[in-house]
Amino acid sequence: MAKTPPAATLSEPRYPTRMADAAHAVARISALARPLVFTNGVFDILHRGHVTYLEQARGLGASVVAVNSDASVRRLRKGPDRPLNPQDDRMAVLAALACVDLVVPIDADTPLDLIAACRPDVLVKGGDYSVATTVGAAEVLARGGRVVAIPFRYERSTTSLVERIRRQVS
């Protein structure tokens, strides 16, 4: 049986350094390299669709992921018991991904104010979005940026996954 090393020899996780609170989000985002890529979402149960999308977004530049607060997820009406994972846990999991440079919380119903403040060069959403349905698209395009809808490679949905689990449990 392998011995557990003494706590003093274990390194501290690096992911907390890639998380910003709301008060420091804009300053932390401004310090990132350009081009700056911005995306947002709930990311309640991270799945293959999410990580594929996030990897592809990172290929376009430094990646900022805005995560909906627990209260904003409830306002989105994802379900009465959503989010399943609290905001801090969702942020930590995302921040641990090598393809994510910074994770920030958003409590607003849309990320428009944060998009306006951080001025991303690229605004990214999943393939089910278009320029017309992406909050902040007009503002990014007006500044000479671009909007990219990353096509789905894997049809995955947290809502569908939760429903499937519920069916199996009942």
Side-chain angles (χ1 to χ4, degrees):
M1 177 187 246
K3 291 184 179 181
T4 303
T9 64
L10 296 176
S11 63
E12 284 297 312
R14 291 180 296 180
Y15 72 83
T17 64
R18 292 192 282 194
M19 295 167 56
D21 60 20
H24 299 98
V26 175
R28 294 280 307 277
I29 292 168
S30 297
L32 294 174
R34 294 287 179 157
L36 180 67
V37 177
F38 182 97
T39 193
N40 67 285
V42 174
F43 302 101
D44 198 2
I45 299 176
L46 204 60
H47 54 66
R48 187 178 190 179
H50 288 136
V51 296
T52 301
Y53 160 84
L54 292 169
E55 283 274 354
Q56 291 180 299
R58 179 59 176 93
L60 302 171
S63 175
V64 173
V65 180
V67 175
N68 290 83
S69 70
D70 297 345
S72 71
V73 173
R74 286 188 285 277
R75 289 192 304 269
L76 289 171
R77 298 190 174 130
K78 293 281 188 176
D81 56 352
R82 299 277 301 277
L84 298 171
N85 289 300
Q87 171 190 308
D88 290 345
D89 290 0
R90 292 180 284 124
M91 288 180 61
V93 169
L94 288 163
L97 298 175
C99 61
V100 174
D101 293 298
L102 187 66
V103 181
V104 299
I106 53 168
D107 189 47
D109 290 343
T110 75
L112 185 58
D113 289 343
L114 183 57
I115 291 168
C118 73
R119 303 174 58 89
D121 302 295
V122 185
L123 182 58
V124 173
K125 289 301 282 182
D128 53 340
Y129 283 83
S130 67
V131 169
T133 61
T134 300
V135 170
E139 291 76 7
V140 170
L141 292 171
R143 286 193 324 276
R146 61 189 178 129
V147 177
V148 177
I150 296 179
F152 291 136
R153 238 188 213 179
Y154 306 100
E155 291 294 326
R156 301 291 187 274
S157 157
T158 300
T159 300
S160 297
L161 179 59
V162 169
E163 289 170 0
R164 193 173 84 217
I165 292 167
R166 286 184 178 138
R167 282 192 307 270
Q168 290 176 355
V169 170
S170 7

